[in-house]
Amino acid sequence: MSEKQAEKAKKFELPPDRIPNKVSKARMDSDDWAKNVEAMDALVTKHRESADRLRMGGGAKAIAKKEAKGQLPPRERVGDLLDEGTPFLEYGLYAGQGMYDEWGIPSANVITGVGKVQGRDVMVVANDGTIKAGAFCPMTSKKVLRAQRVAMENHLPLIYLVDSAGVFLPLQDEVFPDKDDFGKVFDYAARITAMGIPQVSAVMGLCVAGGAYLPVLCDHVLMTEGSGMYLAAAALAKAAKTTAGDVTNDEIGGSRVHAEVSGTADYVCKDDATCIEKIRSIVGMFKDTPKAPFNKEEARPPAYDPSELRGIIPANPYAGYEMRDVIARIVDGSIFNEYKPDYGKTLLCGYARIGGWAVGIVANQKDTIRHKDKPWETGGVIYHDAADKAARFIMDCNQIGVPLVFLHDVNGFMVGPESEHNGIIRKGAKMVNAMANSVVPKFSIIVGGSFGAGHYAMCGRAYRPRYIAAWPSARYAVMGGEAASNTLLTLQISKMKAQGKEVSDEEKKALLDDIKQRYTDAMHPAYGAARLWLDAIIEPEETRDCLIQAIAMSANNADLPEYKTGVLQT
């Protein structure tokens, strides 16, 4: 080969471990690609409309009322608090959606998420006073608790922007007493400060009843002029027949009272803007803390266009696709150092970088595995050898201190006599054990389906991912819709027959249609996000940036305990 030919060949040579690009122009010009893009675009559009509506909080009129009082709207408070031009990794935007429609409480009337203040990662918790005066409904408590847990896991300072009337009384029985309800917020606040994690609280409106304890459990307490913090407002104090007589709310617990009489407020600020500047000044004084020893290099963009993810995911959720095509549009340089690529092929495992951070990836292969010497394997199913491989890979990542990223499109574990004889239960349990006991941070993205025990093994909500998000194309439940609907129909018909009722074919069809609809609705990612099974619904192209921010957030906790799995059946 001549020198000129060698130079030309070098230009087309793939870097080691770069995933080859299988998305050709012909493929992108095909009808199938157009259908895929159209289907994903429709899902993304619906998500954007929902997200925009949720971000409006109590609506334009309620926001205007806040502004008329000289107060900033809740999201403007958060935006002004964060460093200009930096992203906000929001947690729980969909919280409570469809659960309190009769009351009208979008996004569980609180804003939570991770952003940068004075160059530091912080967790922000901001009550939305445009909705029911910021009162706590059941999902408000759970959303705040999730934010506090994320702060504890990642050693993030907490900033509370308080504007809340306390517990929402019509739902008080679901908010008040249990271990994961309103009271747990104060328990966590006390434990967070004991951990040495700074907490700053700014009362920027109401802070009433039990909620008044939260600011005072923090390290720094700020109040704006006109705000109030009291266990009982004037009317309640009078009804309780206290010795106070006729007093105003401001005389009981206004900012000046707490600055000059009770000594509870550390700072009084004339307005929201001044208060936010004071918070930023305080955060700027925080000491530097040790960082996790995760390996990081200079970031490189993927070699292939992330917008192509919309055409890669099939419009038909039961169709297969090559998961490496997805990975290639998320990781730096599209380089994936695949682990045991010729073994346990229904799970892809390997090392990569995302935003420069070294990560271990565990992903479901959705393409059918075509063997020459044994039966083909169905994509999205975890077989015994794949579980075995993933368990070993997860242990390796813990051994070398590499965060784990799980990409879900899983139907579950393989069933049947052959699979049982090959030890699917034992090997599946080993994978779950290795993942559950991981000490490195874990992150999960649900791309398509996430069903049954497969959801567990791939680090579902119960296994403490630092961040778990889903694409609008995601679906998840204990089993697929068709199988579940038929099972539920059989149970319903058996129950009706036991009661002496005969069921016609028309009634069976109507029952099945109703069951399918309800089950399909419950499989939608918005249903799970409403119940905080997910932290967010994100667009495919946002995946990389969200993961970069989440991994960087996790590096604030330098503590990596010793990795132990206990007894493993090998």
Side-chain angles (χ1 to χ4, degrees):
M1 184 185 293
S2 69
E3 189 176 324
K4 189 174 182 181
Q5 287 173 321
E7 187 63 30
K8 187 176 180 181
K10 192 175 179 182
K11 288 181 181 178
F12 293 98
E13 186 179 327
L14 284 175
D17 300 319
R18 175 173 289 174
I19 298 171
N21 187 13
K22 294 183 179 179
V23 178
S24 63
K25 186 178 184 305
R27 183 178 170 188
M28 293 178 68
D29 289 339
S30 68
D31 289 342
D32 283 347
W33 185 273
K35 287 175 184 175
N36 295 348
V37 172
E38 183 182 6
M40 183 64 80
D41 284 351
L43 292 170
V44 168
T45 298
K46 187 175 180 181
H47 156 63
R48 286 181 182 176
E49 290 170 352
S50 296
D52 288 346
R53 187 169 59 253
L54 291 167
R55 290 190 186 103
M56 282 298 292
K61 287 184 179 179
I63 290 171
K65 283 183 182 179
K66 280 281 181 191
E67 291 172 330
K69 294 178 183 177
Q71 296 177 326
L72 295 173
R75 288 192 175 270
E76 201 168 320
R77 288 172 176 169
V78 174
D80 289 353
L81 174 66
L82 301 179
D83 294 348
E84 188 175 356
T86 59
F88 182 56
L89 188 67
E90 186 160 1
Y91 278 70
L93 176 63
Y94 277 79
Q97 178 170 276
M99 298 173 69
Y100 311 115
D101 288 348
E102 62 188 294
W103 302 107
I105 310 177
S107 204
N109 62 9
V110 65
I111 302 161
T112 61
V114 177
K116 285 197 180 292
V117 175
Q118 301 284 43
R120 301 171 186 270
D121 289 321
V122 301
M123 173 60 78
V124 180
V125 176
N127 298 115
D128 190 339
T130 68
I131 310 163
K132 297 291 184 285
F136 273 60
C137 68
M139 291 309 296
T140 316
S141 300
K142 288 175 171 53
K143 186 170 171 178
V144 173
L145 291 173
R146 172 61 176 159
Q148 290 176 312
R149 280 193 289 268
V150 170
M152 287 190 281
E153 288 172 341
N154 299 289
H155 289 194
L156 303 178
L158 266 150
I159 299 174
Y160 302 94
L161 305 182
V162 182
D163 190 357
S164 172
V167 168
F168 185 56
L169 288 178
L171 297 172
Q172 66 83 26
D173 59 318
E174 299 177 48
V175 179
F176 168 64
D178 209 351
K179 61 183 178 67
D180 285 324
D181 286 342
F182 191 45
K184 191 68 178 180
V185 172
F186 312 132
D187 177 43
Y188 275 167
R191 289 162 58 186
I192 288 167
T193 195
M195 290 172 68
I197 299 172
Q199 295 181 99
V200 180
S201 185
V203 180
M204 307 175 86
L206 290 171
C207 184
V208 180
Y213 288 108
L214 178 61
V216 188
L217 285 164
C218 295
D219 310 312
H220 307 272
V221 182
L222 299 85
M223 294 183 73
T224 57
E225 290 182 3
S227 65
M229 179 167 57
Y230 33 79
L231 293 180
L236 186 58
K238 186 174 182 179
K241 299 181 180 178
T242 65
T243 56
D246 290 327
V247 290
T248 65
N249 288 338
D250 200 48
E251 289 170 328
I252 290 177
S255 57
R256 284 293 153 200
V257 168
H258 287 304
E260 301 168 9
V261 182
S262 76
T264 301
D266 302 326
Y267 308 93
V268 174
C269 305
K270 68 175 183 178
D271 54 26
D272 286 4
T274 309
C275 186
I276 287 167
E277 279 307 307
K278 179 66 74 174
I279 296 170
R280 289 181 52 80
S281 173
I282 292 168
V283 173
M285 300 289 182
F286 289 172
K287 66 181 179 183
D288 290 331
T289 55
K291 303 297 181 186
F294 305 140
N295 188 282
K296 189 175 189 295
E297 294 182 353
E298 186 177 346
R300 287 184 292 164
Y304 314 126
D305 188 351
S307 69
E308 293 170 356
L309 289 167
R310 296 196 183 203
I312 290 167
I313 304 302
N316 176 3
Y318 300 102
Y321 61 91
E322 174 57 74
M323 182 59 86
R324 291 181 186 87
D325 291 342
V326 173
I327 296 170
R329 284 152 183 81
I330 295 173
V331 302
D332 290 15
S334 302
I335 292 171
F336 182 53
N337 180 5
E338 191 167 349
Y339 175 86
K340 295 188 179 181
D342 299 318
Y343 182 78
K345 293 184 177 183
T346 60
L347 277 176
L348 305 178
C349 300
Y351 299 103
R353 291 187 182 275
I354 299 178
W357 295 100
V359 297
I361 294 175
V362 180
N364 301 110
Q365 172 59 287
K366 276 295 284 185
D367 228 358
T368 299
I369 309 300
R370 294 168 172 82
H371 297 286
K372 292 180 180 178
D373 54 349
K374 60 180 181 179
W376 291 2
E377 293 178 332
T378 304
V381 175
I382 302 175
Y383 288 75
H384 66 95
D385 52 354
D388 206 31
K389 176 174 82 170
R392 169 66 187 276
F393 178 72
I394 289 166
M395 289 189 276
D396 283 351
C397 288
N398 279 274
Q399 180 79 355
I400 62 176
V402 172
L404 283 158
V405 174
F406 294 84
L407 301 177
H408 297 221
D409 199 339
V410 58
N411 298 328
F413 285 91
M414 188 59 186
V415 296
E418 184 180 349
S419 186
E420 299 289 0
H421 298 167
N422 283 321
I424 188 64
I425 297 174
R426 175 169 51 84
K427 293 174 183 178
K430 184 163 73 168
M431 180 181 173
V432 170
N433 189 324
M435 178 274 302
N437 285 298
S438 287
V439 296
V440 295
K442 297 171 290 193
F443 310 90
S444 287
I445 304 293
I446 302 178
V447 172
S450 190
F451 296 107
H455 174 75
Y456 300 155
M458 293 294 291
C459 191
R461 160 60 80 224
Y463 295 87
R464 304 173 310 284
R466 305 284 179 98
Y467 179 74
I468 179 169
W471 291 3
S473 52
R475 300 160 296 117
Y476 70 134
V478 72
M479 65 173 72
E482 195 69 35
S485 297
N486 284 309
T487 301
L488 290 168
L489 176 65
T490 301
L491 292 172
Q492 181 67 24
I493 291 172
S494 296
K495 182 180 176 182
M496 293 170 74
K497 286 182 176 179
Q499 295 171 346
K501 298 177 183 176
E502 288 299 323
V503 185
S504 67
D505 289 342
E506 290 79 9
E507 288 173 321
K508 284 181 184 178
K509 185 180 182 305
L511 279 170
L512 182 60
D513 289 345
D514 179 62
I515 290 168
K516 276 185 178 178
Q517 186 59 55
R518 285 188 285 113
Y519 199 87
T520 300
D521 290 346
M523 287 168 59
H524 193 278
Y527 186 91
R531 288 150 182 81
L532 297 180
W533 303 340
L534 298 168
D535 293 318
I537 298 174
I538 60 175
E539 298 178 27
E541 300 94 319
E542 295 174 332
T543 304
R544 175 179 163 84
D545 287 342
C546 289
L547 284 172
I548 290 171
Q549 193 173 358
I551 296 165
M553 162 194 82
S554 74
N556 287 284
N557 184 354
D559 183 24
L560 274 183
E562 181 184 355
Y563 180 58
K564 298 178 181 178
T565 60
V567 176
L568 282 178
Q569 288 200 36
T570 57

